[in-house]
Amino acid sequence: MGDGQICSQEEAVMPFASDSDSGSVDLQLGNLEDIKKQPSSLELTDSDISEIPRLHRESLTDTSRHLTHQGPLDEVGVEQLIQSIQEFFNGELKSELEKLTALRSLSSLSRTLPSEETAESFIHSHIADIVHLLSTLVEKEPLKSVFSPGLQEVFITVADFSYQDVYLLFGSEDRADLFSLVTKSVIALPSIKTLTHPQEIIPGGSCNSECLYRQTFQAFAEMLQSLVIKDRHLENLDIIFKHMDPWLQSDKGHERERGAASMTQVLKCLFKHLSLQLPVQFQRLGHLVAQMALLCGDPLKEVAEEAAEGMHYLLHITLRLKCITYDRKNHQSLKRAVKKCRELLELYNIKQFYSCPFRIAQVFEVFLNSNELYQFVMATLDGLKKLKHPHMQWSAGKLLIALVKNAQSRFEKVPEIMGVICALLSTISQPKVRQQITKIVSLFMSRPKYTDTVIDHLLCHPVPYERHLAEMWRTLEVELPKMTWILWRLLRKLQKCHDSGTHEKMAYVAVAVTDALYEVFVGNRLRAATFRLFPQLLMTLLVQVHHTIGLTMSDVAIPSGLYPEQEVSSEVTPLCFAIQATKTLLLRTFCWQEFNIMEKNKGWTLLEGKDCHLQGVSLLANALLERNHLLAHKVMYLLVPFLNRGNDKHKLTSVGFFVELLQSPVAQRFPSIYCVARLKDWLLLENDPFKILALRGLCYLTRQKEMREDIKSLLPYILDLLCESDEKIVLLAIQILLQFVRMMDFTTLTAMMRTLFSLFGDVRPDVHRSSMTLFGASIKSVKYRDKKGVESQVLDSLVPLLLYSQDDNDAIAAESRQVLTICARFLKWKLPQAVYCKDPWFINPSDVTTICKFFGKKCKGKVNILAQTLMFSKNAKLPIRRAAVLFVGLLSRYVDYSELGTKGTDRIKDDLKKLLHDPEPSLRIITSQALFRIQKAGSEPHSRQTLYGLRKLIGCLPI
């Protein structure tokens, strides 16, 4: 016979109660107001809720509890009884007989109340002594006190006083201690199966241990019932439950069984004698329901049966309680709750109803208010922690899931609930139970009312998340619409960090969200939502990458106490979270080719670089555009409203991605205000990266005819950029101008040519080469009627182009020859073939002589090429200096002596003599030769003049 059958043959006496359990709950929906007004007349019938039969047990036979029964005491008898009791207070009770006598005397005295004033006065003035005496007797009972009738007498004595409204277990600290003591003396007894003495003989007769144990427990149960039989405000129930709660959660089956049986007897008695009055003091209804529901799923059959019967009575008590305490304003909601309860009960097999935690939660949650629901959840979580048996943990998880699923959004203190859940994760070893915990979190998170609250709490943990919390993020279970909502809320928290102003430190939530997104992507449970939100996710993560470049965790505003016992590893950086989340996003959305392109081209390294981040962004954008048009177009449409958000880092990353996508034909569908106008705004910013991105975007748009007219209006702004110090800006400006050179008016064209001419010889090789290219294109675009207007500019460009054809940069040299050819065609000249020779001039001086003779003749009277060439003798590049000096020396033979005289041979010599000290020997030699030629050329005009004069004179002489 198990401990659960402790009352199977003899009934714990139920004073003032009928032996029948036919009392029922009336769920009449129309008389709630009457119930409110007359709680004592509340009569509820089971027929209105469907039959809710109690779980039938063997009938309990009545047994006399009045072991000290005696006739009425007169005044003298009372005095004598008081005197003997005082002696017990002052003496030491040694024998078992003395103890029993003392206890029975107290019981006898209690039964004189309230008629006997002397006894009443004595009792109330000696409550502390009585409590002390009872505590002493219980403490001195042996561990296996079941074999002593003294413990039974203590319970009977307490019950006798309770029936007279004198509560020895309530009201003070010493009484509460007595309550704990007597409870422990019964609940903590060893299991009846482990008792070593199968036949113990006690004074007054023989009885086996099992029988004696059953009697002791019955006395204890009667004592508890005596405490609630007149409990109109349920304050005593509250205290009883407080003392019984730890035993209901015991990891020992026989202790849980006794606790459940005790509470069931209390609830049964309360149900039969319930006469509620306001105010109701019982504030732990949700907690009690949870504990009893947990026990309904206990693996021990005896415990589950006891709890099931207790739940039967608790349901009826709850209905009565709600009827008496409901707010008249919520009259209709109570009616709906009762109706729903009835409908739910009709769905189930009543015999099996109380064995299913899910069904229990379904029925009870309709009556529990938000605070009681909170109690229910917290008590169940506490049970989940304390009940180590896997089946009980699983049952608790099912109970929580049912409650959270059915209670919708009626919970309070969700952060506290999440705190307990997170603390539980590391203590639960059963994977199935952890899955249930994750399901509970998912249910809370999927309710819009709680989404942010739950997410905020989960984010307030150290990163990287420990494995159990990471597992929770990875295994979230929600339906698609709610899945998208949850991922969107995570995303918005990160975006808000980017939208906020510049702070000294990065918000911790930004790092936490990034890590959470990574775990969600790894788990892949929110796959559909990830695809749906791919554009937003990708751009937000790229922005986060930009924000975290160069940061360590010391640059993050970590909440106080988050890392109480450990320092953050130096290997953990905000950037590593952002990069791993971005990589995982691509992989989970099947962007494998894009991922491969990034990996092969060191795209991830580029993204992480302070000065090359935008290159990484461009690489990824181009990879997406090349390999996945659909996703690229989705990102493009997203970026339109995304471009003006946040600080410069936010905008730069967004703009960088956006301009690359302008290569797509889809871009032509955008109104000008969304592309060209935006590009103009960025072009005018005093920010080089924005100017570069704007120019890149314009370059892409020039390929689309529909956009050209709008871009043409920006040419004046673009022309101004030719003077920028940033090489990229100048090159991109030239690239755009090349597309519009034929559309320029003459004034704009000549102004541009002057600017371009000033860039010849720029130290930036690409700028040098590109400026010549555009200069050549400009010459070709000059209309016939305007040729005279640009002829001087063309002539001025000849010598620079000729000398730059000797540049050591092959691209510059080639371009110089190409543009020089364009200039010759413009002037209708045919250049000597020597101009196109790629060998340095000093190798073939004869070729240079040919070139000098040609240009000396063609430029005579048009441009002072000697002066121009001398300027290049000071060029920083050796090949240019050497070519210029060689050209000056040879050219001196072919220029008009008047031009040579204008400059003056002395000044030319002075310029060249400085080069005699150049460290390059070849230049010194060529300079010496040039000086000789110039000196010789300088003397020739005088000789020629003398000879001319002589010839003229001779011509005048007679023959």
Side-chain angles (χ1 to χ4, degrees), residues 262-297:
S262 300
M263 281 307 303
T264 296
Q265 291 299 318
V266 170
L267 293 171
K268 179 178 180 180
C269 178
L270 186 62
F271 163 62
K272 289 185 175 182
H273 304 282
L274 190 63
S275 181
L276 291 174
Q277 289 185 356
L278 297 176
V280 175
Q281 302 295 328
F282 185 52
Q283 302 299 324
R284 294 158 57 86
L285 177 60
H287 193 163
L288 176 57
V289 173
Q291 289 294 6
M292 297 302 290
L294 283 173
L295 294 174
C296 285

Side-chain angles (χ1 to χ4, degrees), residues 66-99:
H66 301 298
L67 302 179
T68 59
H69 179 74
Q70 58 187 24
L73 295 175
D74 55 15
E75 189 174 342
V76 175
V78 170
E79 290 291 345
Q80 291 175 347
L81 197 55
I82 289 174
Q83 185 176 357
S84 65
I85 291 173
Q86 284 180 321
E87 292 175 358
F88 294 138
F89 289 159
N90 299 325
E92 182 178 357
L93 304 177
K94 296 182 179 180
S95 68
E96 193 71 22
L97 183 59
E98 288 178 334
K99 296 176 184 178

Side-chain angles (χ1 to χ4, degrees), residues 712-721:
K712 184 180 177 181
S713 64
L714 302 180
L715 291 182
Y717 305 107
I718 298 173
L719 283 171
D720 291 341
L721 298 178

